[in-house]
């Protein structure tokens, strides 16, 4: 296999992929257990929203300092420290559940703790990949890297829900074990041969990533395209409404709908990991985002479960194509000493678009209905593609990942 012959010899990346896989499964199982446990304790839907807020808020506040840290300190060490810190919080959750001394405010506090360290983990995780593989293999590495997250997103929640039958403490214990495996695998990732001299932290360097992006039309176009495409194309937030009121299916159907985009993304990630994209990169990216919008339109008007599932599978597949290209362009057009801070700014855009996209879809659905809301999002995505092709000609004309 081409994948085996190209990436398998880079053992540092394989160990990194394994740590992504273990921690990804652990985090998905953790999310299911926390949500179910909190709702069982309180029966309040608002508390489910607070779970997301407890993790989102610190990631937003700490994003820029986290990016600066990733450009000053050794990235492998940052990942190890953050994973160990998250592991400690998970062990506390397991002990609380085992001794039945669970309190929702303690859970929220631990989630803020986890979210804070994940804020430092993200830019280090994103910016370490280019140092593990040759430049020409970076798109394949990013695709394979995404496959770990997609596999965890598909299997992890179902596995966590099944194990929860034995008790929340069992889920937390297994999650802690997975995080421990992730830490051990991360220790196998080699340190850079020469530690780069990146200078001391200052207020000016804190915002250097923002200035760098503003001065690079290609990077600015890539990141802002992702922001507005996700912001408008948030039909997945409305899946419960489509499942019950439009497709007339039950919880099993909702589960299929939720898993369909991840299935498409996973299949596409395997294909991208074996095939190199060498020409018309900019147009391929724009075409994939446009196809994402078209798939959203098909889903919004579909009256059949099979067609809705197909549209969501295609939606996830096209999103994976654009995500790999966007990620590769950002990493390759950014010097190593800036990758942490640029990744941190990118994280702000991604987190904001995901959260606001769900909020926008919900508000719009309450005003014009779920079908119209999803359709407006699909049309809006197509409009954004057209505008960005006009406003960012350098991105439209980009032929190769490396300029």
């Amino acid at each position: 296999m081409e994948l085996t012959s190209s990436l398998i010899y880079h053992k540092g990346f394989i160990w990194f992929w394994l740590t992504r896989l273990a921690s990804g499964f652990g985090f998905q199982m953790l999310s299911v257990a926390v949500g179910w446990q909190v709702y069982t304790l309180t029966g309040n839907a608002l508390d489910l929203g607070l779970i997301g807020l407890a993790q989102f808020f610190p990631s937003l506040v700490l994003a820029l300092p986290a990016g600066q840290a990733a450009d000053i300190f050794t990235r492998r060490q940052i990942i190890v420290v953050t994973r160990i810190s998250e592991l400690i919080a998970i062990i506390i959750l397991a002990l609380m559940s085992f001794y039945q001394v669970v309190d929702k405010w303690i859970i929220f506090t631990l989630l803020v703790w986890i979210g804070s360290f994940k804020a430092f983990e993200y830019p280090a995780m994103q910016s370490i990949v280019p140092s593990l593989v040759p430049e020409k293999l970076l798109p394949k590495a990013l695709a394979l890297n995404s496959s770990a997250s997609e596999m965890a997103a598909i299997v992890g929640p179902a596995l966590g829900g099944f194990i929860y039958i034995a008790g929340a403490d069992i889920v937390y214990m297994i999650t802690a074990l997975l995080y421990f495996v992730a830490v051990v695998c991360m220790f196998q990732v080699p340190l850079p041969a020469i530690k780069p001299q990146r200078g001391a932290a200052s207020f000016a360097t804190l915002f250097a990533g923002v200035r760098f992006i503003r001065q690079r039309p290609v990077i600015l176009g890539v990141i802002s395209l992702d922001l507005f495409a996700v912001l408008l194309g948030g039909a997945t937030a409305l899946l419960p409404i489509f499942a019950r009121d439009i497709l007339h299916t039950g919880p099993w159907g909702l589960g299929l709908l939720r898993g369909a985009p991840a299935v498409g993304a996973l299949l596409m990630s395997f294909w991208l990991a074996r095939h190199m994209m060498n020409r018309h990169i900019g147009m391929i990216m724009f075409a994939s985002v446009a196809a994402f919008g078209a798939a959203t339109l098909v889903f919004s008007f579909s009256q059949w479960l099979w067609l809705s599932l197909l549209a969501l599978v295609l939606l996830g597949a096209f999103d994976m194509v654009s995500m790999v290209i966007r990620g590769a362009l950002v990493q390759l057009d950014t010097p190593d000493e800036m990758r942490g801070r640029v990744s941190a700014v990118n994280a702000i855009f991604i987190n904001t678009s995901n959260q606001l996209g769900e909020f926008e879809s919900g508000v719009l659905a309450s005003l014009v209905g779920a079908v119209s809301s999803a359709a407006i999002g699909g049309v809006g995505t197509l409009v954004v593609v057209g505008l960005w092709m006009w406003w960012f000609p350098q991105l439209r004309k980009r032929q190769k990942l490396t300029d």
Side-chain angles (χ1 to χ4, degrees), residues 8 33 41-42 78 86 88 149 168 179 183 187 189 202 224-225 245 306 326 351 379:
I8 196 68
L41 283 173
T42 69
I78 293 175
E86 295 163 30
I88 292 171
S149 301
Y179 266 73
V183 171
F187 271 116
V189 176
S202 67
S224 57
L225 175 66
D245 300 337
W306 68 267
R326 293 193 311 263
N351 290 332
V379 172

Side-chain angles (χ1 to χ4, degrees), residues 246-271:
I246 297 170
L247 301 173
H248 307 293
T249 185
W252 65 273
L254 176 60
L256 291 177
L257 292 171
R258 286 196 177 278
V263 170
L266 178 62
L267 294 175
M268 182 57 74
S269 69
F270 286 143
W271 189 89

Side-chain angles (χ1 to χ4, degrees), residues 70-283:
D71 285 336
I72 294 176
F73 302 104
T74 304
R75 289 159 185 161
R76 192 193 78 171
Q77 293 174 346
I78 293 175
I79 298 170
V80 168
V81 169
T82 55
R83 287 279 165 77
I84 292 175
S85 303
E86 295 163 30
L87 173 60
I88 292 171
I90 296 168
I91 291 174
I92 295 174
L93 284 170
L95 293 174
M96 285 173 50
S97 301
F98 181 78
Y99 289 107
Q100 299 183 351
V101 290
V102 182
D103 179 84
K104 75 170 186 177
W105 295 113
I106 298 179
I107 294 177
F108 288 150
T109 301
L110 291 172
L111 290 177
V112 171
W113 172 274
I114 292 173
S116 299
F117 281 99
K118 278 200 169 297
F120 282 88
E121 175 186 305
Y122 180 85
M125 291 281 288
Q126 293 296 107
S127 53
I128 198 175
V129 179
S131 66
L132 301 178
V133 296
E135 186 178 275
K136 66 178 182 179
L137 292 181
L138 181 60
K140 291 186 176 184
L142 292 176
L144 190 59
N145 200 28
S146 298
S147 71
S149 301
E150 298 301 335
M151 282 191 284
I154 295 171
V155 182
L159 188 60
F162 179 76
I163 297 175
Y164 196 93
I165 298 173
D169 55 329
I170 303 299
V171 180
Y172 293 139
M173 289 177 186
I174 295 176
T175 300
L177 178 61
L178 287 169
Y179 266 73
F180 177 76
V181 171
V183 171
V184 172
C185 291
M186 199 63 215
F187 271 116
Q188 308 306 312
V189 176
L191 288 167
I194 301 176
K195 190 179 185 304
Q197 301 297 318
R198 297 184 171 113
S202 67
F203 188 79
T205 59
L206 182 67
F207 291 93
V210 178
R211 292 193 299 271
F212 181 87
I213 291 172
R214 288 181 60 187
Q215 296 167 1
R216 303 309 193 278
V218 168
I219 299 180
L220 178 61
V222 164
I223 293 179
S224 57
L225 175 66
D226 180 50
L227 170 66
F228 285 98
V230 174
L231 185 64
L232 293 170
T236 52
L238 306 175
L239 287 182
I241 300 175
F242 277 90
R244 189 187 68 178
D245 300 337
I246 297 170
L247 301 173
H248 307 293
T249 185
W252 65 273
L254 176 60
L256 291 177
L257 292 171
R258 286 196 177 278
V263 170
L266 178 62
L267 294 175
M268 182 57 74
S269 69
F270 286 143
W271 189 89
L272 292 173
R274 298 188 59 192
H275 297 84
M276 189 76 71
M277 293 181 289
N278 290 320
R279 298 180 61 190
H280 310 300
I281 289 299
M283 288 304 299

